[in-house]
Amino acid sequence: MQLPAFDEGKYNFFDVSWKAPMDTVSGITEWSRDINSVYSLTTIICTLVFFAVAIPLVITLVKFKQKPGDDSPPKQFHGNPTLEVLWTVIPVVLLIFIAVPTWRVLFKHSHVAEGSLEVEAIGHQWWWEFRYPQNGKIITASELHLPENTPVHFRVWSADVIHAFWIPKFGGKTDANPTSFAEDGSPTRWNEINVVTPLLADKTKIHGEMYQGQCTQLCGSSHALMRFNVVIHSKEEFDRWAKTAYTPPKVETTLAQAGEQVFARCQACHTIAGTPSEQIPGVKIGPNLTNFGNRKYLGAGTRLNTPENLAAWLREPSSIKPGSLMPAGLVNEEEIAQVSSYLRLATAKSY
Ligand code: CUA
């Protein structure tokens, strides 16, 4: 199936299906439904307060307007203990009505459920990296794979500036903050999100395939293009995906072989499992490309992963993501064809 890029979709404000991928109120997880229940309660209370203030205000403006020919000053008075107590107590009571369910939701979702899948979501300028510490060395970028109906514990942090991790259909967001690292390379600071993933059968995926995620903290020139996609699998399919997600590329053609040689120049910034690029330690500046051939989109979820779009990216990354840290002109046209064949075909795996 040919998928249009998100940019090409026509979004309808009133449509809560896939046409509104950033819709937050349709509540497909318990977490998002709980957040929306607090949101609805707050909206109802604020609406009542608005009318409780606005209606007497309008009545007062009309009723006590200065009459023609009446030049006497209005009646003067100072202090009204009854009113002062009332307009102190009423807001306090209203805030308690908002605070109690807010705390209830916060505490309910702040503990890590037993059997949670651990995922590290790492913000970079301008793309997301995902690691699965329970599943060996799986690292992927811009495409988050999750099993259906499973508790997931996200640890969210940043490799550079402050980003924010958000899957609108799943629920709330949290900041990805820069961190220092312990001796074993693990981060010393992170934020957390706990969510039970939706069922595979959920119909609100974009084109029936994926959910959209987005960085929501202004983090530089391509902040708005810092997207990612969420693919939900059945539990069996997720296990198969996890088995193949960090396997070496299968180089089967001479074109791809030549591409493999070209890729050797890319390995200071990019990693592909089972190649020498893996030996270079530290957090790489560019996305992990191990399963690039399986990804629907490139450029942090903004363009379809087609040979044309990949070539455009390699020629001039900034034409797709302004300010991209990857410079233009790293490869010539012949090398683009070679490395494109390597990246798109050799790293594609069936699962
Ligand atoms: Cu990362 Cu905005």
Side-chain angles (χ1 to χ4, degrees):
M1 181 173 62
Q2 179 69 8
L3 300 174
F6 296 129
D7 292 340
E8 296 157 18
K10 287 200 183 93
Y11 301 147
N12 179 344
F13 182 77
F14 296 102
D15 190 338
V16 294
S17 70
W18 63 266
K19 289 175 185 167
M22 307 301 276
D23 156 58
T24 59
V25 292
S26 52
I28 62 159
T29 67
E30 190 184 2
W31 184 39
S32 71
R33 282 193 289 272
D34 284 349
I35 291 173
N36 287 335
S37 70
V38 178
Y39 180 66
S40 305
L41 176 73
T42 310
T43 307
I44 291 167
I45 289 176
C46 291
T47 307
L48 292 176
V49 169
F50 171 77
F51 285 112
V53 173
I55 292 171
L57 177 69
V58 171
I59 291 172
T60 307
L61 285 175
V62 173
K63 190 172 171 190
F64 298 104
K65 191 170 184 289
Q66 192 181 32
K67 309 285 184 302
D70 179 5
D71 287 337
S72 60
K75 187 183 149 201
Q76 302 294 308
F77 64 94
H78 179 77
N80 186 325
T82 313
L83 274 179
E84 284 162 23
V85 168
L86 267 181
W87 68 50
T88 305
V89 170
I90 291 173
V92 168
V93 171
L94 290 179
L95 285 178
I96 290 172
F97 268 100
I98 294 172
V100 170
T102 303
W103 283 328
R104 199 180 57 79
V105 168
L106 279 175
F107 286 118
K108 180 178 169 188
H109 294 280
S110 65
H111 73 278
V112 183
E114 215 171 296
S116 284
L117 173 71
E118 296 285 336
V119 175
E120 286 191 64
I122 305 157
H124 296 254
Q125 282 176 313
W126 291 275
W127 54 281
W128 287 96
E129 174 176 336
F130 303 106
R131 299 182 183 177
Y132 298 74
Q134 293 159 327
N135 301 68
K137 293 196 294 179
I138 299 176
I139 302 177
T140 183
S142 302
E143 212 175 81
L144 172 61
H145 292 254
L146 298 171
E148 67 168 337
N149 198 24
T150 302
V152 181
H153 174 225
F154 288 103
R155 292 204 307 172
V156 182
W157 50 280
S158 167
D160 38 51
V161 300
I162 303 175
H163 304 273
F165 178 80
W166 187 37
I167 308 167
K169 296 241 184 216
F170 280 26
K173 52 185 106 165
T174 192
D175 271 7
N177 293 316
T179 175
S180 55
F181 297 95
E183 268 178 22
D184 64 354
S186 58
T188 54
R189 195 167 67 152
W190 60 83
N191 284 333
E192 294 176 303
I193 281 179
N194 292 293
V195 63
V196 178
T197 53
L199 291 170
L200 186 60
D202 176 64
K203 291 279 190 288
T204 64
K205 300 182 194 76
I206 300 157
H207 307 300
E209 299 228 346
M210 290 178 283
Y211 301 101
Q212 191 175 339
Q214 168 72 44
C215 176
T216 58
Q217 187 68 264
L218 184 60
C219 57
S221 53
S222 276
H223 151 70
L225 300 173
M226 188 170 160
R227 300 177 187 171
F228 60 99
N229 302 310
V230 187
V231 184
I232 300 290
H233 301 280
S234 69
K235 290 180 185 179
E236 297 74 32
E237 191 179 64
F238 179 79
D239 288 342
R240 291 203 300 276
W241 174 82
K243 282 203 183 84
T244 60
Y246 219 75
T247 49
K250 274 204 183 82
V251 184
E252 283 165 341
T253 64
T254 47
L255 192 64
Q257 252 166 18
E260 193 177 24
Q261 303 297 317
V262 176
F263 183 77
R265 299 193 332 239
C266 313
Q267 61 189 18
C269 301
H270 296 282
T271 300
I272 289 181
T275 72
S277 59
E278 234 183 341
Q279 309 307 321
I280 297 168
V283 178
K284 296 261 182 111
I285 200 168
N288 186 298
L289 300 175
T290 299
N291 48 16
F292 180 85
N294 286 106
R295 292 181 201 157
K296 280 258 147 57
Y297 292 85
L298 55 79
T302 54
R303 296 290 168 97
L304 277 175
N305 185 359
T306 63
E308 298 76 29
N309 286 341
L310 179 57
W313 174 271
L314 290 167
R315 269 181 217 119
E316 170 77 69
S318 290
S319 69
I320 290 171
K321 233 198 287 175
S324 169
L325 299 183
M326 178 168 157
L330 290 174
V331 277
N332 63 34
E333 287 301 315
E334 190 189 1
E335 290 166 337
I336 285 175
Q338 294 164 342
V339 83
S340 169
S341 166
Y342 175 64
L343 285 177
R344 286 180 36 78
L345 303 177
T347 62
K349 290 144 198 166
S350 51
Y351 52 84

